Amino acid sequence: RSFVAARHETRIERFRALDARMQDGASRMARARITASIPGMVLRQADPEYGVLTRELAKRQRHLPVRQLAARMPKALRRLTPCLMMSPLSVAQYLPPEAEPFDLVIFDEASQITTWDAIGAVGRGRQVIVVGDPKQLPPTSFFERRAGSGESEAVEVETHDLDSILDECLGAGIPAVALSWHYRSRHESLIAFSNQVYYGGGLVTFPSPITRDDAVSFRFVPDGVYARGGARTNTPEARAVVAEALAVLRARPQRSLGIVTFNAEQQSLMEDLLDKARRDDPALERHFGDEAAEPVLVKNLEGVQGEERDVMLFSLTYGPDASGRVSLNFGPLNLSGGERRLNVAVTRARERLVVFGSVRAEQLDLARTGATGVRHLKQFLAFAEHGARSFATANQGPLGEHESPFETQVAARLQRFGWMLHPQVGVSGFRIDLGIVDPDAPGSYLAGVECDGATYHRGATARDRDRLRQAVLEGLGWRILRIWSTDWWTNADREAERLDGQIRALLDRARQARAERAHADAAAIAPEADEPEADAAEDPAASLVAGEPSGGSTALAELFYDPAYRDRLAEQVARLVIEQGPLREDRLVQIVARSHGFGRAGREIRERVMAVIPAASAVTTEENGRFIWPAGTDPEACDSFRDPAPGQSRDPGEVPLQELVVLARRCLARGEAEEAVLIAMRDACGLQRLRETSRNRCLEAVALARG
């Protein structure tokens, strides 16, 4: 009866500020207390333990071993370094057994620590916290090949499969606390498979502000062959993965990248291919060196636990052999606990996971194997290719049903104002009550509306309910609006109008931001000075967007930044590469930009285009740029020059060197005189004259043709 929304929201804002200040103050207090425990200079000079340290710091050689140093200054060491981060082996190696126990010992990634490795560290603490996931990798040695197996190839076998300290604790009935919030993945689809298959839907995940979540995708490699019994690699698949990796690094350099393979041999092949790419393009080196915040990661199943990257590429590796036979031997996945490896491998991405495979889910006949890991792999491949609908019991996206009559009334009022909305957005136990679809970008949500219903009440604490949950959502890009049932009960018309006004204000800001972004893109990159400017309306590419005429450019520009538009953009890029390829990268970006009504192509437009280049397209790098070739084309086998249409011309700078060499050979057949050959090449390109850069490029092609 006494509830006033404005007063309550003020209290919430004050609570958020005070709670954040308290957390910050707690860390400052801990630091201050630790610092205060260190004695001053006078006391340190009189303390023999600090004297030992002073002498060791003054030495240039023959320092005391760490274990002896720790034994001779036990109290001083604890005061100076109250928290030690060590492996169990380091604890045994460096800390004296008679040392005073630690107040607390914490094990991380405990599923991979054997009991006998851990027990020594357990005995050094007054309290112990064991942190880990029993659904992830157990402690195992690396795999060996079983000799004399009688099979066509060596079989990987697990030499040990031992209980971890985590399993021991769970088996002993030690009290357990489940950490159910998952907010590393910026899209729910990245964790949806594991949540459904391994955690029984118990993880609390947070939806992204997009109407179609396709962060997990499958790329079929039709020519992939697994070299069973030989190199144990899949070279076509490796090349496809590396091509995608290079496209990500070049188009989205701010994103970190990781690659996961099924075995060590495929990992080595990937590393070799990436090393060659780095030699060919030194600009890539910054993604691999120590100066990178998260260097490019390439690991196999056994070594990837604990790692994460923005974009992860997963190479299935195994597939049909040279005879086309698909074996159901997936190495470590077939072993006991193999499903844990799959769980680890497919949950490393923050933003996007691309699965590359030479075999599809329907090709895996579960009647031929009883391995849980293979059964889960079949489910995962179906999920990656078809989405959550591959689960018979899984919900995909919004439920489509309101959770309470209150939500139903709010939704009805908003729909009268003309807003399109989805109820109960999400796929886990936590959902956004109402998602307001952006009318300018139907693939994303303009705002989320939360009613103080069951979802709000389920918050375990005020911190969860009124601070952390909303902070996570805002970090994912949501704009959260709230409506209170008491206010709605008192005056529903007033509250509906207030909410409508807030949504319209958000739409105005979104439109302004999009206009500023488009303006920045248009001004970012000017066309080359020596390249004739074609009118956008005359550009034939303007009609290549799904058959739409250039008159639809304004509408297409509105859709360009919509995540749901990615598939349509990918279709256009693939068609362009097939019909006009090989295309120089910047020319491809320019054509796509113009077809959408953009005068010029800025950084963000370039990134979006490069992100959808077909993985099967070969890419060649030259001094004047990178060329994208049609899928299935081998640049080294190029045997034709594409003559321009009547009245048209081709700039030699936009022709890959392999194709220019073919033209040079054709012109050399008419005579060996250099100038005559250049004139013939100029005429074949439909040009009136050769600029200096074009002349030099033709001379290079002639030299290669003669050599």
Side-chain angles (χ1 to χ4, degrees), residues 52-67:
V52 172
L53 181 60
T54 301
R55 285 192 299 274
E56 290 301 307
L57 291 173
K59 289 181 181 179
R60 293 189 178 181
Q61 57 185 355
R62 299 178 64 84
H63 290 91
L64 284 175
V66 176
R67 189 181 183 93

Side-chain angles (χ1 to χ4, degrees), residues 29 121 147 229 402 458 474 550 560 691:
M29 178 68 75
H402 298 284
R458 278 195 294 266
E474 289 173 351
S550 58
F560 188 82
R691 300 191 308 270

Side-chain angles (χ1 to χ4, degrees), residues 523-538:
I525 297 180
E528 297 180 7
D530 59 352
E531 180 180 320
E533 178 70 18
D535 188 272
E538 298 176 0

Side-chain angles (χ1 to χ4, degrees), residues 4-281:
V4 178
R7 184 188 307 154
H8 187 65
E9 288 175 355
T10 299
R11 286 173 178 164
I12 289 176
E13 289 302 320
R14 185 163 179 264
F15 165 74
R16 289 174 180 167
L18 290 174
D19 191 48
R21 283 178 58 190
M22 188 180 76
Q23 283 194 302
D24 179 65
S27 63
R28 291 174 180 269
M29 178 68 75
R31 180 183 177 87
R33 287 177 176 172
I34 291 168
T35 304
S37 69
I38 299 174
M41 183 179 296
V42 175
L43 292 177
R44 290 202 303 271
Q45 289 175 345
D47 190 323
E49 291 192 13
Y50 286 97
V52 172
L53 181 60
T54 301
R55 285 192 299 274
E56 290 301 307
L57 291 173
K59 289 181 181 179
R60 293 189 178 181
Q61 57 185 355
R62 299 178 64 84
H63 290 91
L64 284 175
V66 176
R67 189 181 183 93
Q68 291 185 28
L69 182 65
R72 293 178 61 177
M73 51 176 300
K75 293 182 180 179
L77 181 66
R78 294 292 177 86
R79 286 182 175 178
L80 293 172
T81 57
C83 181
L84 299 180
M85 190 173 185
M86 311 173 77
S87 69
L89 180 61
S90 297
V91 170
Q93 184 175 354
Y94 296 120
L95 299 184
E98 67 276 3
E100 184 76 10
F102 288 88
D103 295 320
L104 178 64
V105 171
I106 302 176
F107 289 92
D108 191 23
E109 297 289 358
S111 69
Q112 290 196 298
I113 303 175
T114 59
T115 303
W116 51 76
D117 279 342
I119 201 67
V122 169
R124 295 173 185 269
R126 294 186 176 93
Q127 298 181 79
V128 176
I129 296 177
V130 178
V131 184
D133 182 354
K135 300 296 185 181
Q136 294 196 2
L137 287 183
T140 59
S141 66
F142 278 85
F143 291 71
E144 298 177 346
R145 298 190 178 186
R146 184 197 303 154
S149 63
E151 297 181 14
S152 59
E153 67 167 304
V155 179
E156 289 178 319
V157 297
E158 200 171 14
T159 58
H160 298 286
D161 192 1
L162 306 169
D163 289 338
S164 66
I165 184 63
L166 177 64
D167 294 326
E168 290 285 355
C169 291
L170 292 173
I174 292 176
V177 176
L179 305 179
S180 57
W181 279 28
H182 177 90
Y183 44 83
R184 176 184 66 207
S185 302
R186 295 188 64 83
H187 301 283
E188 281 188 299
S189 61
L190 293 169
I191 193 64
F193 174 81
S194 288
N195 194 17
Q196 178 81 10
V197 173
Y198 298 107
Y199 303 106
L203 292 181
V204 176
T205 61
F206 296 85
S208 297
I210 55 175
T211 58
R212 179 185 175 188
D213 186 348
D214 56 358
V216 180
S217 60
F218 179 76
R219 302 275 183 87
F220 181 61
V221 183
D223 57 340
V225 175
Y226 176 62
R228 191 176 308 281
R232 304 176 71 247
T233 59
N234 189 325
T235 301
E237 190 173 299
R239 293 189 185 280
V241 173
V242 170
E244 176 69 12
L246 297 178
V248 170
L249 293 176
R250 286 164 174 149
R252 310 189 73 186
Q254 73 278 17
R255 298 290 188 265
S256 60
L257 175 74
I259 298 174
V260 184
T261 70
F262 250 78
N263 62 23
E265 290 83 357
Q266 187 81 346
Q267 176 189 353
S268 297
L269 175 58
M270 298 274 197
E271 291 170 337
D272 291 343
L273 292 173
L274 287 171
D275 287 344
K276 181 181 183 302
R278 291 160 67 182
R279 291 192 297 271
D280 294 342
D281 185 0

